[in-house]
Each structure stands twice: as C-alpha cells, then as structure tokens.
Amino acid sequence: MSEFLLPDEIIQLARRVVEENTAAGRKVSLAESCTGGLVAAAITEIPGSSAVLDRSFVTYSNEAKQGDLGVASDIIEAFGAVSVACVYAMARGALERSEADVAVAISGIAGPGGGSDTKPVGTVVFARLEKGQDQPEAEERLFEDSGRSGVRAQATLCALELLLP
C-alpha cells in the first residue's frame, strides 16, 4: 500500500504547491464543489502543509455556496453553479473569509448525470483570485471520457496547478 491516500501524480503536484508557496510566504484557500475536498486532501497529505493551507470550503450544494461563500442567488439562477460567474464569486468569498493570499474555486459536472448540451458531463470551471486583484483568472475545461473519478482527479490536478506561485 502506498504511503499516500491519493495517486502519485496528485501528491507530487501537491508537494510542489506546499514547497513553492512556503518559499513564497503565501497562504492559500480553496472553494471546492465537484472535487469535494480532494484538493485540500492532497495538500494536507504533505508535511508542512499547515504553513500554506489556511482553509478549504467544500460547498457542494448551491445553498452552501450562498451561505458559506456569499455567492448571490441571482448568479446561480442566471448562470448556474457551473459557470465562470459562480466560481469567481466562490473564489472571492473564500479569499474574503480567510487569511489567504490566493484562492482557487472549482465547480463542475462530474457525472454520470447532470450534464446538458451546453454543459456536458466533464465540464469543470476554475477561478483563481489573489489579494488585491480585481478580476480573477478563470477557465472552463472539459474532461471527456474519464468517468466521475477521472473528472474529479483531473479537476484536482488543474486546481493544484492554479495554486502554484
């Protein structure tokens, strides 16, 4: 059995996140939906992660996004939870509610159900916001043909990359 709970590829990237953010003196926070805490779990597998990870919000439901992160209901009604507008609001909420220097938010459709023609299964949206930054960096990705676990693993890797300084 491996020393770590998660796959090596995720652990190696999480190690870089901890090492490089420690060297930069930066703290991070997360707002996770479809990954359900996997990004935070990856970071906390690494010794010394307490110097980097301030906190993580697992806001799987729309109500949690609104209550814990302050995402406005009209954003979810107009654009949906899997949208650049929603992850931007999630990242802003995580940054405002933490002592972090940077926040990353993730929301997506891991499947097997829940997809549509405009947002198929495998659609994941990310936002990264640093303190003092007005607009986040945001992107939408489509992780096709990888199943629920594969979508969540790929989303975790992408979020970890966004946490690198």
Side-chain angles (χ1 to χ4, degrees), residues 31 57-76 86 89-90 92-94 96-97:
F57 301 88
V58 178
T59 54
Y60 206 71
S61 70
N62 291 343
E63 293 77 17
K65 290 173 182 67
Q66 293 169 24
D68 294 350
L69 297 173
V71 176
S73 61
D74 61 347
I75 288 175
I76 293 173
C86 185
M90 289 169 66
R92 181 167 297 289
E96 290 172 352
R97 290 160 174 78

Side-chain angles (χ1 to χ4, degrees), residues 123-144:
T123 301
V124 183
V125 187
F126 303 87
R128 178 182 187 270
L129 184 65
E130 291 190 35
K131 261 192 181 151
Q133 187 181 24
D134 289 331
Q135 292 296 317
E137 300 165 33
E139 68 176 291
E140 181 176 307
R141 304 274 297 269
L142 180 59
F143 302 114
E144 292 183 282

Side-chain angles (χ1 to χ4, degrees), residues 4 10-20 42 46-47:
F4 297 105
I10 290 174
I11 294 301
Q12 288 170 10
L13 191 51
R15 183 174 285 113
R16 280 189 58 207
V17 167
V18 170
E19 290 171 355
E20 293 180 26
I46 308 304

